[in-house]
């Protein structure tokens, strides 16, 4: 069965610091991977997605993620965070929108 | 307004009552979904629909009923609400079933069952 693990429930970083959010997946075939962000009181917004090709994927808001098949990981990174990046981040795996399996989420707090 | 909207945004109901959460999308997307979001569980799929009059169960369907008489609407009904159904509910829609399809989410409905 598909599963997604986000090992960090809560991460705090200082504004301007770099960020890496971890995501590990379990999937029997070639995975389709997604990162979503949920700002307080809002729905989920797609940051980026990976289906094939280049393992380094660029997304919106300056985020990127790297697919590492050998480690079953799809970690999200940003070189310099802004206070507006404070949100909850979800990693998901699936075969298209109708079969998404989400991780538990990582809440990001930004220190000024 | 274009997009996907959920109503109400907040709802408090009593145990045993029936409550319906509404979801409306203006894109004419074929697929629509209902998820619940609980601490420690992320989002879990309750039901989804591939088209009008076609629905299917997701991971956690027990206690919920859905219908889809029109493409744009996908209401979720809790026939007899229980405290364990206290959660944040998200509706989503997508254009197709292709592998690179993106799902678009509503703002969520926070439901409290007392």
């Amino acid at each position: 069965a598909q599963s997604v693990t986000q090992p960090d429930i809560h991460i705090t970083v200082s504004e301007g610091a770099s960020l890496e959010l971890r995501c590990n997946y379990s999937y029997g075939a070639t995975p389709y991977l997604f990162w979503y962000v949920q700002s307080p009181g809002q729905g989920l917004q797609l940051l980026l997605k990976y289906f094939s090709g280049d393992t380094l994927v660029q997304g919106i808001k300056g985020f990127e993620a790297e697919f590492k098949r050998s480690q079953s990981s799809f970690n999200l990174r940003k070189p310099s965070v802004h206070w507006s990046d404070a949100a909850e981040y979800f990693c998901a795996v699936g075969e298209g929108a109708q079969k998404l399996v989400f991780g538990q989420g990582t809440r990001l707090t930004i220190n000024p | 307004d274009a997009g996907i909207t959920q109503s109400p945004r907040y709802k408090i109901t009593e145990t045993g009552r029936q409550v319906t959460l509404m979801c409306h999308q203006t894109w004419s997307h074929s697929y629509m979904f209902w998820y619940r979001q609980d601490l420690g569980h992320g989002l879990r799929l309750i039901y989804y629909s591939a088209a009008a009059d076609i629905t299917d169960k997701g991971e956690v369907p027990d206690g919920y009923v859905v219908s889809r008489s029109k493409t744009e609407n996908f209401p979720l009904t809790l026939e007899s609400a229980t405290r364990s159904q206290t959660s944040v509910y998200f509706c989503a829609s997508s254009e197709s079933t292709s592998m690179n399809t993106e799902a678009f989410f509503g703002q969520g409905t926070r439901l409290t069952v007392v």
Side-chain angles (χ1 to χ4, degrees):
Chain A
Q2 306 169 44
S3 67
V4 177
T5 301
Q6 294 178 246
D8 305 305
I9 296 174
H10 184 204
I11 284 182
T12 300
V13 299
S14 298
E15 190 168 16
S18 63
L19 171 71
E20 183 170 28
L21 302 182
R22 296 183 292 166
C23 173
N24 295 100
Y25 66 88
S26 174
Y27 194 71
T30 302
Y32 297 88
L33 297 158
F34 308 80
W35 274 100
Y36 282 86
V37 60
Q38 182 184 25
S39 298
Q42 302 296 313
L44 277 71
Q45 181 183 21
L46 182 67
L47 282 176
L48 48 78
K49 56 190 177 184
Y50 170 79
F51 298 108
S52 63
D54 193 346
T55 56
L56 186 62
V57 181
Q58 301 298 320
I60 62 172
K61 304 184 179 185
F63 285 92
E64 66 178 25
E66 186 172 11
F67 169 59
K68 292 185 177 180
R69 184 185 298 274
S70 62
Q71 298 177 20
S72 298
S73 69
F74 189 56
N75 294 349
L76 182 71
R77 301 194 293 249
K78 186 169 185 178
S80 177
V81 297
H82 186 262
W83 63 265
S84 61
D85 293 325
E88 184 121 22
Y89 292 80
F90 291 94
C91 182
V93 64
E95 296 176 6
Q98 77 277 19
K99 293 184 179 180
L100 287 177
V101 174
F102 286 85
Q104 303 93 321
T106 297
R107 183 160 62 95
L108 176 65
T109 299
I110 307 295
N111 280 338
Chain B
D1 290 338
I4 183 165
T5 55
Q6 294 182 232
S7 61
R9 291 293 310 278
Y10 303 91
K11 176 74 176 178
I12 299 174
T13 192
E14 294 179 340
T15 301
R17 288 193 178 268
Q18 182 181 81
V19 60
T20 296
L21 311 184
M22 305 301 294
C23 179
H24 175 79
Q25 52 103 356
T26 60
W27 294 303
S28 298
H29 284 170
S30 297
Y31 279 78
M32 296 187 74
F33 313 87
W34 275 107
Y35 290 89
R36 59 177 290 174
Q37 181 183 23
D38 303 292
L39 197 63
H41 290 279
L43 279 77
R44 291 179 292 175
L45 184 64
I46 303 171
Y47 269 97
Y48 69 99
S49 168
D53 298 321
I54 301 175
T55 62
D56 208 347
K57 296 179 180 179
E59 180 185 357
V60 288
D62 293 344
Y64 303 96
V65 175
V66 293
S67 62
R68 192 147 177 228
S69 58
K70 292 183 178 181
T71 299
E72 61 266 31
N73 297 323
F74 190 40
L76 176 74
T77 298
L78 288 67
E79 293 189 305
S80 178
T82 65
R83 290 195 177 91
S84 65
Q85 293 177 309
T86 292
S87 186
V88 180
Y89 291 85
F90 286 99
C91 180
S93 71
S94 67
E95 188 174 51
S96 73
T97 62
S98 63
M99 297 302 187
N100 61 350
T101 298
E102 174 183 350
F104 295 88
F105 285 79
Q107 291 185 301
T109 295
R110 183 176 293 276
L111 176 68
T112 302
V113 182
V114 298

